[in-house]
Amino acid sequence: MKKLIFYISVIFFSTSLFTSCTTDEGDNPDCLTSRGMTMTDEWNSITNAVLRRYADITFKLNYYITTGQYNHGVYETFIQSVDENIWEVYQYGEEGIAYMINTNGQALDSVGSIWELTSFTDYYNDLGLRQDDGTVNCIITCIDTNSWNIYSINNDLPEYFFDINISYKSTPSTLYVYPYTFAGKGNLCINDNHYNYESGKSDYSDNRHPGPDYYTYDGIVNLSFETEANLRRTSEYWSKGIVNITVQNREEETSSTRAEFLRKSTEYVVKITYGGVTEEWYL
């Protein structure tokens, strides 16, 4: 298996989150579920990437509209266009509109409201969501009190999509300060724009670690996920819930893992089931 190296600039949470694992079967210190843990780290990173790039900005704008103030740490400027429902978002130091958001004249925390976001930025891997015209489109719908659906699909390649629900105790000013509940599914594309692949055989590629070497020379991997039980995220990490993850390369070889998130006392734990083996990984 080729080892995956993430560029620091695109990681919002480290892909090397866990320092050890314990095996449920015997005393073998080798981690037999390393590939499954890698897949879980990838899922965590790209989920946060989609939320941060295309959804978080709407909550920051809602805070600005509501309070007239910028949230601490915001590096965008919000400008209302001729149409009072349309907001243009500019990022500091960059030319041109980064995002355009249509509030449809509705408050983001009003049940049934729909905000439409169009992203014009091309600084990051688009994860398969960028359409032929260069835009990524995202719809944020308030589906219940303090609960929103976040949906994005590539209309030109509809197999790529992101469809999740998140819930908070109150309307957040940004997605990344407060704990939230997460549920949903998606199919995203990881390409080599922001990932490097080293050739060579992995330390974990013998017959004790079933599954294909899914990293290929063209650097294309599809990653699909669906929550089996709603996930709960603290300000630090996932603390509860289950997600099933599958990756597939261009040769249609697949690898699958089941990740269950736990919290034991002060420690965060991920129970990985991969290739018929279950292990716990500790933060």
Side-chain angles (χ1 to χ4, degrees):
M1 182 180 77
K2 301 174 179 66
K3 297 179 181 178
L4 183 62
I5 301 175
F6 294 86
Y7 284 159
I8 295 176
S9 62
V10 298
I11 295 183
F12 305 110
F13 294 87
S14 172
T15 58
S16 299
L17 294 172
F18 301 91
T19 57
S20 64
C21 71
T22 58
T23 306
D24 288 348
E25 302 175 4
D27 297 325
N28 189 338
D30 191 16
C31 297
L32 306 181
T33 59
S34 295
R35 289 181 178 175
M37 192 64 241
T38 297
M39 290 164 58
T40 302
D41 280 339
E42 291 174 8
W43 166 81
N44 182 60
S45 292
I46 67 173
T47 293
N48 282 288
V50 173
L51 291 176
R52 186 176 294 270
R53 295 172 198 170
Y54 309 126
D56 188 46
I57 191 65
T58 61
F59 290 89
K60 292 176 180 177
L61 173 59
N62 179 69
Y63 180 81
Y64 177 76
I65 293 174
T66 303
T67 67
Q69 300 176 350
Y70 283 99
N71 187 33
H72 179 70
V74 171
Y75 63 98
E76 289 88 8
T77 300
F78 304 119
I79 299 177
Q80 199 167 22
S81 69
V82 175
D83 184 333
E84 64 180 10
N85 297 328
I86 304 295
W87 290 80
E88 298 173 350
V89 183
Y90 295 82
Q91 294 181 323
Y92 295 162
E94 302 292 341
E95 296 182 359
I97 300 172
Y99 303 96
M100 183 175 290
I101 300 173
N102 185 354
T103 68
N104 291 306
Q106 302 164 330
L108 187 59
D109 56 0
S110 177
V111 176
S113 65
I114 299 174
W115 283 26
E116 302 169 81
L117 175 143
T118 301
S119 170
F120 301 99
T121 60
D122 58 356
Y123 311 120
Y124 303 108
N125 178 359
D126 57 32
L127 301 172
L129 298 176
R130 189 171 304 282
Q131 302 183 147
D132 289 347
D133 64 0
T135 64
V136 174
N137 298 302
C138 189
I139 298 175
I140 295 86
T141 305
C142 185
I143 56 177
D144 202 348
T145 303
N146 300 322
S147 296
W148 292 266
N149 174 259
I150 298 169
Y151 179 76
S152 181
I153 192 168
N154 185 335
N155 290 320
D156 298 310
L157 295 171
E159 62 267 29
Y160 295 117
F161 70 96
F162 186 80
D163 186 3
I164 63 101
N165 297 335
I166 56 174
S167 297
Y168 288 83
K169 290 184 177 180
S170 60
T171 303
S173 58
T174 175
L175 295 181
Y176 290 95
V177 176
Y178 313 102
Y180 61 86
T181 300
F182 175 105
K185 59 186 177 180
N187 184 46
L188 300 168
C189 177
I190 304 173
N191 62 46
D192 57 5
N193 288 346
H194 288 278
Y195 301 91
N196 282 340
Y197 296 81
E198 290 184 352
S199 60
K201 191 173 183 180
S202 167
D203 294 337
Y204 302 110
S205 59
D206 61 24
N207 58 13
R208 296 171 301 166
H209 306 84
D213 290 337
Y214 52 86
Y215 302 122
T216 59
Y217 283 106
D218 61 10
I220 299 295
V221 176
N222 286 345
L223 186 149
S224 299
F225 71 89
E226 184 168 3
T227 54
E228 180 179 319
N230 288 6
L231 304 175
R232 295 185 183 276
R233 188 180 183 92
T234 68
S235 57
E236 298 179 83
Y237 198 66
W238 303 103
S239 63
K240 184 179 180 181
I242 301 171
V243 62
N244 293 294
I245 307 164
T246 300
V247 296
Q248 183 180 78
N249 63 18
R250 283 291 178 88
E251 284 70 41
E252 297 188 352
E253 299 171 312
T254 61
S255 290
S256 299
T257 192
R258 181 178 187 266
E260 180 177 0
F261 299 92
L262 311 168
R263 185 167 183 174
K264 294 185 177 181
S265 185
T266 59
E267 294 184 294
Y268 291 99
V269 180
V270 182
K271 183 182 291 185
I272 297 293
T273 300
Y274 179 85
V277 177
T278 298
E279 294 174 329
E280 290 185 347
W281 293 69
Y282 288 78
L283 183 65

